């Protein structure tokens, strides 16, 4: 039985789109993104290494460098976690004492109706934490399992991305029709991922610039010097590379540090960050839209639909999936 080129292309579309959509409910999005990231990094590093090492060995060296970087990063994270746990074991009340000091400092600056919700002592706080853990034990277990699953899928995705990057790409004339069509689909997907990643770097730089101006210029103008300003600016850039959730994490850290000075500094920091991110929300869509030739409202609509269907993973996947869909429609000359 002979299939027409249009039927082969349609079959490849169904296979790729079904796989992309199934990655969300099956919780394989981290694996997919990690694999694409490693694949792209290897392809970016290889041309720069080829003047030093010719041939396929340049790709092997790129994979080796990335693997070493991942291992070192994971080792540092695990060592840091162990160091933190050991410190807490030796000084179990140190962090609690610091927290209660913040509470006492904030108590005199809060309205009376909020002050009643604050713990009166460290002992009362310990009891409240214990009761909360007991009532949410099953939820905490699910969160732990989810984090372990995400960690494993990330590693598997990175390994698969490295393996695919090391494969020799056969001549297009030697491929079967469906294999050639699938390769074309995946090439467009990789290109869409690359465009979104570079756009996210621009977004992170923009966010870091606004936050740095606030922390290093605006606050000192009012004689407010936030502790760890340089560290917070660096963390804002690194966390900003994570779509959506990264900004939430950096905002939380800045607000907590602001709370160490006063509740009003924390409120001002939080208010500023909220206003800035409301403006950035539309600038982000414009930046990403410039990379994939999409208008702001298209990306906002895609993120809204994917968030409604799949939750937070849908927000992360929405721009990438839409960029790929738009490239397919342009390839077919439908838009």
């Amino acid at each position: 039985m002979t299939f027409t080129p249009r039927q082969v292309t349609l079959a490849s579309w169904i296979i790729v789109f079904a796989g992309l959509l199934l990655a969300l409910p099956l919780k394989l999005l981290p694996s997919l993104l990690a694999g694409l990231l490693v694949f792209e990094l290897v392809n970016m590093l290889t041309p720069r290494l080829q003047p030093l090492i010719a041939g396929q060995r340049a790709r092997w060296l790129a994979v080796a460098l990335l693997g070493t970087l991942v291992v070192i990063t994971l080792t540092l994270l695990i060592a840091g976690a162990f160091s933190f746990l050991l410190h807490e074991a030796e000084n179990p009340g140190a962090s609690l004492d610091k927290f209660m000091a913040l509470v006492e400092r904030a108590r005199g600056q809060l309205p009376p109706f909020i002050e009643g919700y604050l713990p009166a002592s460290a002992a009362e706080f310990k009891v409240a934490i214990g009761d909360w853990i007991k009532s949410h034990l099953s939820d905490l277990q699910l969160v732990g399992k989810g984090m372990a699953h995400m960690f494993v899928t990330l590693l598997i995705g990175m390994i698969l991305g490295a393996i695919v990057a090391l494969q020799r790409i056969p001549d297009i004339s030697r491929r079967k029709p469906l294999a050639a069509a699938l390769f074309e689909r995946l090439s467009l997907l990789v290109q869409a991922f690359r465009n979104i990643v570079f756009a996210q770097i621009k977004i992170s730089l923009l966010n870091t610039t606004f936050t740095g101006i606030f922390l290093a210029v605006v606050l000192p103008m009012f004689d407010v010097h936030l502790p760890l300003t340089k560290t917070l600016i660096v963390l804002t850039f690194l966390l900003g590379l994570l779509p959506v959730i990264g900004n939430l994490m950096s905002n939380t850290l800045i607000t907590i540090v602001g709370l160490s000075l006063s509740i009003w500094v924390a409120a001002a920091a939080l208010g500023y960050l909220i206003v800035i991110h409301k403006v950035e929300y539309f600038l982000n869509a414009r930046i990403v839209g410039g990379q994939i030739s999409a208008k702001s409202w298209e990306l906002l609509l895609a993120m809204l639909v994917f968030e409604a269907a799949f939750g937070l993973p849908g927000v992360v996947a929405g721009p990438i999936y839409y960029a790929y869909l738009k490239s397919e429609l342009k390839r077919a000359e439908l838009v």
Side-chain angles (χ1 to χ4, degrees), residues 232-264:
L232 289 173
I233 292 174
V234 173
L235 286 175
T236 298
F237 173 73
L238 295 177
L239 293 174
L241 297 176
L242 301 173
V244 183
I245 193 172
N247 286 340
L248 295 176
M249 294 169 66
S250 62
N251 291 356
T252 302
L253 289 174
I254 293 171
T255 304
I256 290 174
V257 174
L259 188 62
S260 67
L261 294 181
S262 76
I263 189 65
W264 304 116

Side-chain angles (χ1 to χ4, degrees), residues 24 196 200 203 242-245 247 277 280-289 292 294-323:
L24 290 165
I196 293 297
Q200 191 63 39
I203 290 168
L242 301 173
V244 183
I245 193 172
N247 286 340
H277 289 312
E280 285 181 358
Y281 194 65
F282 294 95
L283 292 177
N284 293 353
R286 181 174 294 276
I287 291 172
V288 177
I292 64 174
K295 297 184 182 300
S296 300
W297 67 265
E298 296 177 58
L299 286 173
L300 292 174
L301 181 60
M303 293 170 68
L304 178 63
V305 171
F306 272 81
E307 192 278 333
F310 303 106
L312 184 57
V315 177
V316 177
I320 299 173
Y321 283 21
Y322 183 78

Side-chain angles (χ1 to χ4, degrees), residues 3 12 14 26 36-37 59 69 81 124 144 146 170 175 178-179 198 210 277 285 290 294 303 333:
F3 294 95
S12 67
I14 293 173
L26 295 178
L36 289 172
L37 179 61
R59 284 188 172 273
L69 178 62
E124 180 181 330
R175 298 192 192 106
L178 182 58
F198 287 140
F210 284 133
H277 289 312
M303 293 170 68
E333 298 183 351

Side-chain angles (χ1 to χ4, degrees), residues 38-39 42-43 46 50 55-60 63 159-171 175 183:
V38 170
F39 180 81
V42 171
N43 287 335
T46 300
Q50 281 179 340
Q56 186 72 0
R57 286 179 295 178
R59 284 188 172 273
W60 281 101
V63 171
I159 293 171
L160 288 174
I163 292 174
V164 173
L166 288 173
Q167 300 300 308
R168 292 183 178 275
I169 301 176
D171 185 15
R175 298 192 192 106
F183 183 82

Side-chain angles (χ1 to χ4, degrees), residues 133-209:
I133 290 176
K134 289 179 182 177
S135 60
H136 295 82
L137 187 59
S138 58
D139 296 334
L140 292 174
Q141 290 174 343
L142 289 176
V143 170
K145 291 179 180 178
M147 292 296 292
H149 176 268
M150 186 178 71
F151 180 74
V152 172
T153 54
L154 277 173
L155 286 179
I156 294 174
M158 287 188 289
I159 293 171
L160 288 174
I163 292 174
V164 173
L166 288 173
Q167 300 300 308
R168 292 183 178 275
I169 301 176
D171 185 15
I172 190 170
S173 61
R174 298 181 181 179
R175 298 192 192 106
K176 298 294 184 181
L178 182 58
L182 286 173
F183 183 82
E184 185 178 1
R185 306 281 81 72
L186 295 177
S187 298
L188 292 176
L189 175 62
V190 170
Q191 182 180 356
F193 174 80
R194 184 192 312 123
N195 291 336
I196 293 297
V197 167
F198 287 140
Q200 191 63 39
I201 292 175
K202 292 181 180 179
I203 290 168
S204 182
L205 287 171
L206 179 67
N207 180 44
T208 304
T209 300

